[in-house]
Amino acid sequence: MENDVTSPFLLRADGTPVRVLVVDDEPDLTEVVSGALRYEGWEVRTASDGASALATARTFRPDAVVLDWMLPDADGLTVLRGLRAELEGVCVLFLTARDAVEDRIAGITAGGDDYVTKPFSLEEVLARLRGLLRRAGMARRSDLLQADRLVVGDLVMDERAREVTRGGVVIELSRTEFELLRFLMRNPRRVLSKAQILDRVWSYDFGGKAHVVELYISYLRKKIDAGRTPLIHTVRGVGYVLKPDAP
Amino acid sequence: MENDVTSPFLLRADGTPVRVLVVDDEPDLTEVVSGALRYEGWEVRTASDGASALATARTFRPDAVVLDWMLPDADGLTVLRGLRAELEGVCVLFLTARDAVEDRIAGITAGGDDYVTKPFSLEEVLARLRGLLRRAGMARRSDLLQADRLVVGDLVMDERAREVTRGGVVIELSRTEFELLRFLMRNPRRVLSKAQILDRVWSYDFGGKAHVVELYISYLRKKIDAGRTPLIHTVRGVGYVLKPDAP
DNA sequence: AAGGCTTTTCAGAGGCTCCTCAGAAGAACC
DNA sequence: GGTTCTTCTGAGGAGCCTCTGAAAAGCCTT
């Protein structure tokens, strides 16, 4: 029961849930993102344009904002300035198209905010949001934020350094392998279906089949379990679990 | 009588029964599912299309919805959005055809909702529903939801990790064996007929005979009772009971 | 004690899930 | 621009699960 991703409350210092405002003009996208955030215990509101985002921010007073860079009525930088004026120390995570990245974004990350390029995976958004709040000093309150280091048995992941070791030995992982493993390590001893994994680790626009999950599990096994007592277990007809042998 | 599946009340925090809305255009199916749910103490309503589902949801205000993915008048995602807009924090369990799975299910498991493919077994639907409500924080109020762990004598089942132990020793079970055992463990000290077991554990379209139940009971005995004092007992001409020897 | 019925067990076919390999397309990096 | 790394598709094959049918064992009645 410890280290449970679904522990229903993600609390701030004052005991109220952490609040996030999701702003995007595509309803499907806000639906998926806000759903995942709610599932993880955040208190979520959504908005579909810059004006209503600012209005909602004023009353809702979120700790963080997930904000589309290109909104119908406003440009990202403008909205950012508006938010900054209204909310002291709010964290902002931008969602941007891949080619719109270069320009201004550089300046944003300097200010402590961050961005994710579309199409993104939910794991990516969640990880970045956790990182932002952690850096903003909102950490140590909840289990969900405090894990800079994930540990399962002798397998250790340092999220910030993006380094994984097993028994002290460094393991090189590709981007997708890393995200898959992070998701598994955030849900130890819990069986995760391929659909669940696909929904969280792969981008929302991924058209392929759940077969990729099997493939990447096999990659991970080769790197992590090779020759050692396995941590990744198959539950036939259900999914996969990550767990140490001795509970 | 403790831990009784048919304990007549399944209550929410405010003392009223937990409510679920079942939506499917096949009357036989809603009949079977809603019957089983009522039997377990849920307060149930049914609907046969998207429009009436939303209408019913508005007044009935269910805690969970069992929803066919393919309705005559609407697509699953649309109805989901409607429900979400109307009911804060409602849990949705989708029923889908096997081949429709890969399609557009994407994202729903990330939002905390879940799905079951047709043809399904009632145990599967019930287990998933319990899981949804448990995660939504509706747990600990009622006996029916609180069991993440089922215990009968020295036999322990961890539903989430899908792990079964007897006397601390891990026992590997196949999918069907696991579901059969779960049903038995949810009804300890109660004689279950082969017909009952078949109706609950096997899919509704299963054409075979009750002989499979005998076979799977024998599999379970080999794994669970082998060499130990038996937990599974035959009641000749009636069915089977799971109970510890020393009461 | 025998016969008839229920239950248990065995053996095997078929189906299905999952794992792995090989290769093509794409992205990142120099 | 070329090289390397990464991601994904498809096919083949291994192994596990499920179910059928038949034979053996057990229980109850007569």
Side-chain angles (χ1 to χ4, degrees), chain B residues 12 39-40 63 69 74 77 108 110 112 119 126 129 151 153 160 164 181 188 199 215 243:
Chain B
R12 301 191 290 187
Y39 182 66
E40 292 231 343
D63 303 287
W69 183 254
L77 214 59
I108 74 166
L126 293 171
L129 262 183
V151 181
R160 179 183 300 179
V164 175
L181 183 60
D199 287 348
L215 185 60
K243 64 176 175 191

Side-chain angles (χ1 to χ4, degrees), chain A residues 1 4 6 8 28 31-32 35-36 39 122 189-191 195-196 199-200 208-210 235-238 243, chain B residues 77 80-81 84 88 102 104-112 115 135 137 140 148 158 160-163 175:
Chain A
M1 188 59 75
D4 185 349
T6 66
D28 281 7
E31 177 64 29
V32 172
Y39 181 63
L122 285 173
R189 311 188 52 74
R190 166 188 223 148
V191 182
Q196 271 178 306
D199 284 351
R200 281 298 273 279
K209 298 274 209 151
V235 183
R236 209 155 232 275
V238 186
K243 65 179 175 189
Chain B
L77 214 59
L80 175 63
R81 209 173 285 140
R84 271 284 140 69
E88 180 95 8
E102 306 286 356
R104 288 288 300 138
I105 301 280
I108 74 166
T109 67
Y115 70 93
R135 268 175 275 147
R140 37 199 147 279
D148 246 10
D158 179 339
R160 179 183 300 179
R162 252 191 139 75
E163 193 176 81
R175 186 192 160 83

Side-chain angles (χ1 to χ4, degrees), chain A residues 170-234:
Chain A
V170 175
I171 297 171
E172 300 290 342
L173 297 177
S174 78
R175 179 197 164 83
T176 306
E177 288 163 357
F178 182 87
E179 295 219 339
L180 170 56
L181 184 60
R182 173 163 58 192
F183 184 44
L184 294 177
M185 291 187 78
R186 284 202 160 266
N187 294 277
R189 311 188 52 74
R190 166 188 223 148
V191 182
L192 300 166
S193 73
K194 280 174 230 173
Q196 271 178 306
I197 295 174
L198 211 57
D199 284 351
R200 281 298 273 279
V201 178
W202 270 260
S203 322
Y204 52 81
D205 71 338
F206 178 71
K209 298 274 209 151
H211 173 55
V212 245
V213 178
E214 296 170 10
L215 186 61
Y216 270 86
I217 286 283
S218 122
Y219 290 160
L220 271 187
R221 283 211 246 241
K222 248 182 254 173
K223 295 188 175 181
I224 287 169
D225 283 345
R228 294 168 262 211
T229 58
L231 293 173
I232 301 173
H233 304 270
T234 303

